[in-house]
């Protein structure tokens, strides 16, 4: 049995850059470099590991919904070892919220064909973390989220979810969707050959009409959620410096106790 | 519409005149100077490197204001340098004292502190010397290796330097997985070279990123597989290529180069380590020195005399690949049945730590005849093969220098923006800003020249350019790291500050891979005056 994996990845503004909102309260992507969301690198890594450990043919497709530059995220994933990429891009997508994004992703995943969808646990910019669940719901497949260990065999995906109170061992019939955490295993660095091979791999571009989605189902207009206001985080205050004159430890403890940390 | 600016035109005028002066002097010097007349030949060679870099910086840019400013600053600096070297020696150069008069205004514009101030403003804001204009692929290569360097190398770079430690296996394995050791090895033997136009450029980009984090613990790891890989790929038999290259490309077999001897460094044609044929073996005896990474290496490339007749000179030399186990630490030794031994002892150095450079003694060490590169066809070709292999290494060394300089520039920017003296940020003083601008111009020029030389070498030319950029960038790295250190004041002299490591590391660059003077006199000046 061959296996078709689709990995959903997001192109996010570099967290070390000067991020801010545009006038319409969407994230301004023009003035800051973007990259493949680090949390999605774990998803790509897990998909590649599944592929390497699987007995039969596996095809790993990376999928992103995003602006022109989002291709960079796809290229990075291809250079890590994914087989092909799909880029959904449409001017009407500007301002799409998580619910709209899940619609586009689900339609694209259906069109691509899949046995397993692998997502990151959240994006590093929005950190909403709800998209994987929404996509699974739209696809009508089981969702096994927040896994820190994954394996696939014989028509099922199994994995471990580490919670605060318990560690769960989970299993789902394929087709299914999983999301993986940042504890699932460090993502590989693309190799030099991988980078050079990436440009020869197929990268398809789809727009909304390819997915039979109407413009008013997505974008700012179709969004179910709305950003009402946004304000820059206030500058950090100077903090407290504890000078150790023999009682540094006590001072630290007092400081923490006062704020009920200990 | 083509965007032109006055500064761009001025830079071009300066470069045109400087190129003409170099050409004219080269012809003049060729007409009278002998090998003994080194002073002008050295200056001619050095200036030719700088002028070529100025031309490349100009060509590299897209004509935008920032790049035009930078090109003008550098071209004017080179003109000033040339004029200093000419003064009082015009007759020897064959250049009239008025030769540079025609560009006096342009040079004045390029040396105007106000222009330097403007350049500095941009550099202080970005820590960058200027745009690299890399293709998408190369940008990805760069960001990938940069991330690796930041995650894995930077956190340990100081410790390796200060404690004179071995390079952690983690770094070597990581770079091996990423394909760093096979950049110049043909794809059919497990490397990634497929004859693409940008291949050496990739090597240059990777080298710069790694050297920016650490010259000793990362940027220089690539040099050895470059040298050995090229020597085997060019001179080896098919069986040897298949046997050696895949392991080198995969980073499973680490390499060292044992060419220099205590009595023969720049003049390697005279080496005395000898290999005597005995049945199916060659028996190696002699002392090599400065063999970097010899401990960890599995393969040592050894240049030895296979012809007892010393009068045949370099035609009596052959190259061997001596296989050995990998040893950690500063001292190691090994013995063979029959009494052959090799002993290695690391030489304590100011910087360039991590790989360790060893004195290596071979005493009656038996090497199978199948390990002479090229076997019978390789007899007497060792010197040529090694020289060819060093061409790539020169380019790689220039890229190492650029990485070290870029690092110093970044640290200088960070520090001068934060440090206040006499109540003002250091970065606010004119002198600081002029320094920063000149450092940036030098970094940008060396980088642009390294890029163009890489393309030229890939296209089977570029030998002169590879030597020129090596010569220029390595000296430039000394000055740039020195200025960066100076800007740090007392802290720059403290081991705790990275800039102190950069300074001592940079010092080695003009010594190895062709000492500065030797490259200038015996490679660059000879080529220039040959025509
Ligand atoms: C840290 C380090 C690592 C090294 N790694 C390696 C390695 O891995 N493998 C290897 O084989 N070698 C290695 N070397 C050796 C290096 O290549 C030699 O040091 C270099 O070739 C110079 O040789 P030398 O030291 O014998 O200096 P010499 O040849 O004695 O030259 C001394 C100085 O004299 C001047 N000079 C030389 N020739 C002339 C001339 N014709 N006219 C005028 N001036 C001249 C130059 O300024 C030169 O620097 C390394 C060196 C160092 C310091």
């Amino acid at each position: 049995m061959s296996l078709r994996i689709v990995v959903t990845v997001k192109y996010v503004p570099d967290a070390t850059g000067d991020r801010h909102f545009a006038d319409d309260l969407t994230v301004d992507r023009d003035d800051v470099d973007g990259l493949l969301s680090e949390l999605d690198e774990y998803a790509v890594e897990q998909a590649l590991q599944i592929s390497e450990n699987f007995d039969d043919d596996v095809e790993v497709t990376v999928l992103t919904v995003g602006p022109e530059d989002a291709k960079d995220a796809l290229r990075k994933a291809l250079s890590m070892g994914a087989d092909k990429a799909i880029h959904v891009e449409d001017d009407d997508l500007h301002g799409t919220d998580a619910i709209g994004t899940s619609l586009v992703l689900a339609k694209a995943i259906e069109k691509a064909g899949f046995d397993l969808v692998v997502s990151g646990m959240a994006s590093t910019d929005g950190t909403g973390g709800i998209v994987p669940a929404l996509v699974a719901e739209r696809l009508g497949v089981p969702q096994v989220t927040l896994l820190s260990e994954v394996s696939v065999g014989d028509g099922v995906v199994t994995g471990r979810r580490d919670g605060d109170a318990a560690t769960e061992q989970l299993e789902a019939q394929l087709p299914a969707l999983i999301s993986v955490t940042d504890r699932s295993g460090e993502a590989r660095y693309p190799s030099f050959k991988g980078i050079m091979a990436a440009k020869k791999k197929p990268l398809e571009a789809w727009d909304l009409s390819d997915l039979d989605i109407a413009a008013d189902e997505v974008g700012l207009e179709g969004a179910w959620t709305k950003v009402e206001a946004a304000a820059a985080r206030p500058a950090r205050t100077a903090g407290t410096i504890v000078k150790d004159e023999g009682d540094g430890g006590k001072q630290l403890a007092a400081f923490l106790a006062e704020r009920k940390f200990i | 519409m083509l965007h032109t600016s006055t500064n761009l035109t001025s830079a071009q005028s300066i470069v045109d005149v400087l190129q003409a002066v170099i050409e004219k002097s080269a012809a003049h010097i060729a007409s009278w100077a002998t090998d003994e007349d080194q002073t002008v030949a050295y200056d001619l060679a050095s200036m030719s490197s700088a002028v070529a870099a100025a031309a490349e910086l100009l060509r590299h840019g897209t004509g935008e204001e920032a790049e035009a400013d930078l090109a003008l600053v550098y071209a004017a600096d080179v003109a000033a340098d040339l004029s200093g070297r000419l003064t009082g020696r015009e007759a020897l150069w064959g250049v009239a004292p008025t030769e540079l008069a025609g560009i006096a205004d342009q040079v004045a514009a390029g040396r105007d502190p106000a222009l330097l101030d403007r350049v500095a403003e941009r550099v202080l804001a970005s820590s960058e010397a200027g745009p690299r204009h890399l293709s998408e692929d190369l940008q990805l290569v760069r960001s990938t290796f940069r991330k690796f360097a930041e995650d894995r190398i930077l956190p340990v770079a100081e410790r390796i330097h200060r404690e004179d430690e071995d390079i952690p296996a983690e770094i070597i394995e990581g770079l091996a997985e990423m394909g760093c050791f096979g950049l110049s090895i043909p794809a059919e033997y497990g490397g990634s070279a497929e004859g693409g136009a940008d291949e050496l450029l990739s090597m240059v980009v990777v080298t710069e990123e790694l050297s920016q984090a650490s010259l000793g613990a990362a940027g220089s790891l690539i040099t050895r597989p470059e040298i050995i890989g090229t020597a085997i790929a060019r001179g080896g038999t098919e069986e040897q290529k298949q046997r050696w290259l895949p392991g080198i490309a995969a980073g499973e077999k680490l390499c060292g180069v044992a060419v220099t001897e205590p009595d023969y460094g720049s003049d390697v044609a005279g080496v005395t380590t000898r290999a005597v044929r005995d049945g199916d073996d060659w028996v190696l005896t002699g002392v090599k020195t400065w063999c970097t990474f010899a401990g960890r290496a599995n393969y040592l490339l050894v240049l030895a005399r296979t012809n007892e007749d010393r009068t045949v000179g370099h035609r009596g030399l052959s190259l061997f690949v001596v296989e050995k186990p990998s040893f950690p630490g500063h001292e190691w030794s090994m013995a063979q049945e029959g009494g052959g031994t090799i002993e290695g002892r690391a030489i304590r150095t100011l910087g360039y730590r991590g790989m360790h450079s060893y004195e290596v003694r071979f005493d009656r060490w038996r090497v199978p005849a199948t390990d002479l590169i090229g076997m019978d066809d390789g007899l007497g070709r060792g010197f040529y093969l090694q020289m060819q292999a060093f061409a790539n290494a020169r380019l790689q060394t220039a890229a190492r220098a650029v990485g070290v300089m870029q690092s110093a520039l970044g640290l200088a920017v960070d520090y001068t923006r934060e440090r206040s003296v006499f109540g003002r940020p250091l970065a606010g003083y004119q002198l600081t800003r002029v320094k920063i601008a000149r450092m940036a111009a030098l970094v940008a020029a060396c980088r642009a020249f390294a890029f163009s030389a890489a393309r030229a070498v890939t296209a089977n030319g570029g030998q002169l350019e590879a030597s020129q950029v090596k010569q220029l960038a390595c000296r430039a790295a000394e000055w740039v790291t020195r200025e960066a250190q100076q800007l740090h004041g007392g802290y720059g002299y403290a081991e705790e500050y990275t800039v102190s490591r950069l300074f001592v590391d940079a010092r080695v660059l003009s010594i190895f891979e062709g000492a500065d003077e030797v490259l200038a006199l015996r490679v660059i000046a000879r080529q220039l005056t040959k025509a």
Side-chain angles (χ1 to χ4, degrees):
Chain A
M1 186 199 84
S2 67
L3 187 69
R4 293 163 304 168
I5 303 179
V6 178
V7 188
T8 59
V9 300
K10 187 173 181 187
Y11 177 76
V12 298
D14 189 343
T16 60
D18 180 19
R19 295 183 294 178
H20 47 260
F21 288 101
D23 292 342
D24 63 0
L25 298 179
T26 59
V27 177
D28 185 352
R29 292 169 186 276
D30 286 343
D31 288 344
V32 48
D33 286 342
L35 39 75
L36 168 60
S37 169
E38 209 175 308
L39 290 170
D40 291 338
E41 285 187 18
Y42 294 100
V44 176
E45 177 63 36
Q46 286 309 311
L48 294 174
Q49 287 192 19
I50 292 169
S51 162
E52 283 155 7
N53 297 327
F54 200 71
D55 292 336
D56 213 328
D57 288 348
V58 179
E59 185 179 61
V60 177
T61 303
V62 283
L63 165 68
T64 196
V65 177
E68 168 69 20
D69 289 345
K71 278 199 180 62
D72 289 354
L74 293 176
R75 223 171 268 119
K76 168 96 186 264
L78 290 173
S79 68
M80 288 170 73
D83 301 301
K84 57 183 240 203
I86 298 168
H87 181 196
V88 183
E89 187 197 357
D90 200 305
D91 288 346
D92 289 329
L93 282 167
H94 176 79
T96 305
D97 65 356
I99 293 169
T101 303
S102 71
L103 173 70
V104 182
L105 284 173
K107 291 265 192 175
I109 292 166
E110 260 167 2
K111 185 171 154 92
F114 73 103
D115 300 299
L116 179 67
V117 178
V118 185
S119 302
M121 61 192 279
S123 60
T124 52
D125 58 344
T127 58
I130 55 169
V131 168
L134 291 168
V135 171
E137 209 43 42
R138 290 192 189 270
L139 293 171
V141 299
Q143 49 172 299
V144 194
T145 53
L146 302 176
L147 300 181
S148 38
E149 204 179 85
V150 183
S151 63
V152 172
D154 215 15
V156 292
V157 54
T158 53
R160 197 185 77 226
R161 181 195 284 155
D162 297 322
D164 286 341
T167 293
E168 297 164 292
Q169 203 66 42
L170 302 159
E171 180 178 300
Q173 294 290 321
L174 297 181
L177 175 146
I178 60 170
S179 72
V180 300
T181 71
D182 52 357
R183 280 181 290 176
S184 56
E186 209 181 326
R188 68 195 64 192
Y189 295 91
S191 73
F192 189 78
K193 276 187 198 171
I195 293 171
M196 292 303 149
K199 66 174 167 228
K200 294 176 199 143
K201 292 179 178 174
L203 195 160
E204 282 184 52
W206 294 347
D207 61 17
L208 289 177
S209 65
D210 290 316
L211 300 176
D212 289 327
I213 298 174
D216 60 7
E217 290 179 83
V218 293
L220 273 179
E221 209 183 317
W224 291 26
T225 53
K226 186 165 179 239
V227 179
E228 294 281 355
R233 183 185 292 181
R236 280 198 206 165
T237 51
T240 307
I241 294 174
V242 174
K243 270 222 177 90
D244 184 15
E245 280 154 2
D247 63 344
K250 275 191 190 148
Q251 284 193 57
L252 268 180
F255 179 87
L256 292 172
E258 194 186 321
R259 284 160 184 77
K260 302 211 168 9
F261 283 112
I262 52 175
Chain B
M1 198 186 75
L2 197 67
H3 179 90
T4 53
S5 76
T6 335
N7 284 352
L8 204 59
T9 338
S10 301
Q12 188 66 60
S13 312
I14 297 176
V15 167
D16 289 344
V17 168
L18 298 184
Q19 280 178 326
V21 168
I22 296 292
E23 219 169 284
K24 191 168 160 189
S25 326
H28 179 73
I29 290 169
S31 73
W32 67 268
T34 68
D35 276 354
E36 301 301 311
D37 296 298
Q38 295 187 324
T39 312
V40 281
Y42 176 79
D43 277 352
L44 171 72
S46 301
M47 288 318 303
S48 81
S49 305
V51 171
E56 289 310 330
L57 180 58
L58 201 52
R59 224 194 312 267
H60 180 76
T62 54
E64 279 174 28
E65 189 190 54
E67 291 184 281
D69 287 357
L70 207 58
L72 179 58
V73 165
Y74 185 66
D77 243 359
V78 176
D81 187 0
L82 178 61
S83 130
R85 296 196 202 217
L86 275 176
T87 304
R89 291 191 183 144
E90 292 87 349
L92 299 178
W93 283 69
V95 174
T98 52
E99 204 94 17
L100 301 177
I103 47 169
D105 290 346
Q106 290 87 337
V107 173
R111 286 167 59 78
D112 182 350
L115 173 67
L116 287 141
D117 190 85
R118 191 160 86 191
V119 169
E121 188 60 36
R122 298 187 192 108
V123 179
L124 284 162
S126 65
S127 292
E128 284 289 341
R132 288 172 169 76
H133 301 301
L134 294 173
S135 68
E136 273 180 6
D137 282 343
L138 285 176
Q139 280 179 40
L140 189 50
V141 167
R142 178 168 174 243
S143 61
T144 301
F145 282 87
R146 182 182 194 90
K147 178 139 194 330
F148 181 86
E150 282 169 357
D151 293 350
R152 304 279 182 86
I153 301 165
L154 266 182
V156 293
E158 288 320 310
R159 199 189 70 212
I160 294 172
H161 169 66
R162 277 198 262 164
E163 311 295 330
D164 199 10
E165 285 181 9
D166 290 1
I167 299 176
E170 206 194 19
I171 291 181
I172 296 173
E173 284 159 13
L175 291 175
E177 274 168 31
M178 292 165 83
C180 248
F181 299 108
L183 292 174
S184 291
I185 294 179
E188 54 195 301
Y189 302 109
S192 48
E194 290 176 342
D198 273 355
E199 264 163 24
L200 272 175
L201 188 52
S202 317
M203 185 271 280
V204 163
V205 168
V206 170
T207 298
E208 186 189 329
E209 289 311 320
L210 297 180
S211 305
Q212 203 175 323
S214 170
L215 176 73
S220 302
L221 285 168
I222 306 180
T223 324
R224 276 133 275 278
E226 278 291 322
I227 295 175
I228 300 203
T230 312
I232 297 171
R234 297 211 178 184
T237 64
E238 186 54 36
E239 184 275 331
Q240 289 175 331
K241 291 181 201 176
Q242 302 214 11
R243 182 151 53 97
W244 288 322
L245 292 178
I248 297 174
E252 286 156 9
K253 301 291 182 188
L254 302 175
C255 307
V257 175
V259 169
T260 306
E261 294 184 359
D263 290 334
Y264 296 93
S266 302
D267 45 355
V268 284
V271 296
T272 59
T273 294
R274 57 179 202 279
V276 179
R277 186 72 187 240
D278 180 27
D280 286 341
D281 294 337
W282 289 93
V283 182
L284 278 178
T285 301
V287 181
K288 293 290 179 181
T289 192
W290 291 114
C291 181
T292 303
F293 217 35
R296 294 286 274 286
N298 303 93
Y299 295 159
L300 291 183
L301 183 76
V302 181
L303 183 69
R305 197 162 286 286
T306 43
N307 189 329
E308 282 169 46
D309 180 4
R310 275 193 71 86
T311 60
V312 300
H314 63 78
R315 282 185 298 275
L317 300 175
S318 307
L319 279 177
F320 292 87
V321 173
V322 173
E323 302 193 13
K324 64 177 270 300
S326 180
F327 297 108
H330 294 76
E331 278 183 36
W332 47 272
S333 62
M334 49 198 275
Q336 243 173 0
E337 261 177 53
T341 57
I342 309 181
E343 279 172 31
R345 189 182 49 84
I347 303 163
R348 294 196 72 90
T349 54
L350 281 181
Y352 194 58
R353 302 201 180 134
M355 299 201 289
H356 317 313
S357 300
Y358 300 80
E359 181 174 278
V360 181
R361 291 175 175 273
F362 295 87
D363 186 15
R364 287 166 293 134
W365 187 263
R366 298 187 90 84
V367 183
T370 46
D371 291 359
L372 186 156
I373 294 183
M375 297 187 50
D376 284 350
D377 284 346
L379 272 176
R381 288 187 64 216
F383 185 76
Y384 295 110
L385 279 177
Q386 177 233 240
M387 282 300 164
Q388 285 180 340
F390 272 87
N392 281 13
R394 283 181 193 146
L395 189 58
Q396 203 263 342
T397 303
R400 289 192 270 174
V402 175
V404 174
M405 280 191 261
Q406 174 64 49
S407 178
L409 178 65
L411 292 176
V413 165
D414 291 348
Y415 189 81
T416 56
R417 281 165 42 143
E418 274 164 27
R419 176 75 173 176
S420 265
V421 279
F422 298 106
R424 252 161 78 187
L426 198 46
Y429 288 98
Q430 186 188 50
L431 196 51
T432 307
R433 298 167 78 83
V434 165
K435 284 180 184 198
I436 297 265
R438 292 184 64 214
M439 288 158 80
L442 202 43
V443 175
C446 290
R447 182 182 289 135
F449 195 11
F451 284 7
S452 75
R455 292 202 175 98
V457 173
T458 312
N460 285 323
Q463 297 304 309
L464 173 63
E465 290 80 0
S467 297
Q468 286 177 318
V469 71
K470 191 279 173 186
Q471 201 229 349
L472 175 72
C474 293
R475 261 184 311 126
E478 271 172 48
W479 183 77
V480 171
T481 54
R482 187 263 179 211
E483 291 296 280
Q485 186 181 40
Q486 184 71 15
L487 287 169
H488 279 69
Y491 296 100
Y493 204 62
E495 281 201 332
E496 200 180 327
Y497 279 72
T498 300
V499 75
S500 68
R501 165 170 60 92
L502 302 183
F503 180 66
V504 291
D505 275 357
R507 191 58 199 83
V508 77
L509 293 163
S510 288
I511 297 175
F512 63 26
E513 306 297 337
D516 174 54
E517 295 80 357
V518 178
L519 262 189
L521 295 170
R522 300 180 72 91
V523 183
I524 301 170
R526 275 194 190 170
Q527 282 239 30
L528 292 174
T529 53
K530 174 174 80 181

